[in-house]
Amino acid sequence: QVQLVESGGELVQPGGSLKLSCAASGINSSLYRMNWYRQAPGKQRELVATIASDGFSDYGDSVKGRFTISRDNAKNMVYLQMNSLEPEDTAVYHCSATRTWPPIRNYWGQGTQVTVSS
């Protein structure tokens, strides 16, 4: 079965950095668009970053210039480097994989908690 497993979330101080990882299994993630979403209590789910198979990436406005998404297709991994973290970045971060050819499918990981606090 398909699994996406996130890791790397932890408590970090404002201004600090953190790198999240997403390990995919059951799919060849190189064929999928890979995404990071986040959701904080009381807030809507927000797209953080997305990366296409060819490496083209895009970011949500709130994280542009601070976060970087990358992928290692040979390892079936995707990463999110998070710099200059702010308390507003506190959320559960979810990795997702999007199959862009019919039938379109989306897969989701269980999430990893990132808490930015002093």
Side-chain angles (χ1 to χ4, degrees):
Q1 62 179 5
V2 176
Q3 282 192 282
L4 301 175
V5 180
E6 303 95 336
S7 62
E10 63 180 66
L11 174 65
V12 63
Q13 294 185 354
S17 297
L18 206 57
K19 188 173 184 177
L20 307 183
S21 298
C22 174
S25 60
I27 58 168
N28 181 354
S29 66
S30 68
L31 304 178
Y32 290 70
R33 172 174 291 276
M34 301 298 294
N35 318 283
W36 287 98
Y37 287 84
R38 68 186 183 187
Q39 188 164 28
K43 297 182 180 179
Q44 292 186 318
R45 186 177 63 191
E46 175 187 18
L47 176 66
V48 175
T50 184
I51 185 166
S53 296
D54 63 1
F56 176 82
S57 60
D58 201 4
Y59 301 88
D61 288 341
S62 63
V63 307
K64 285 181 178 177
R66 299 189 297 121
F67 291 8
T68 303
I69 189 171
S70 61
R71 65 194 303 162
D72 186 337
N73 289 336
K75 295 182 178 180
N76 233 19
M77 297 285 290
V78 62
Y79 307 96
L80 184 68
Q81 178 66 50
M82 310 164 69
N83 299 325
S84 301
L85 284 162
E86 305 166 354
E88 293 74 22
D89 296 316
T90 296
V92 176
Y93 284 71
H94 294 268
C95 176
S96 77
T98 303
R99 172 173 164 153
T100 59
W101 64 98
I104 297 174
R105 292 190 185 198
N106 288 280
Y107 300 98
W108 292 87
Q110 292 184 312
T112 186
Q113 176 71 47
V114 173
T115 302
V116 185
S117 177
S118 60

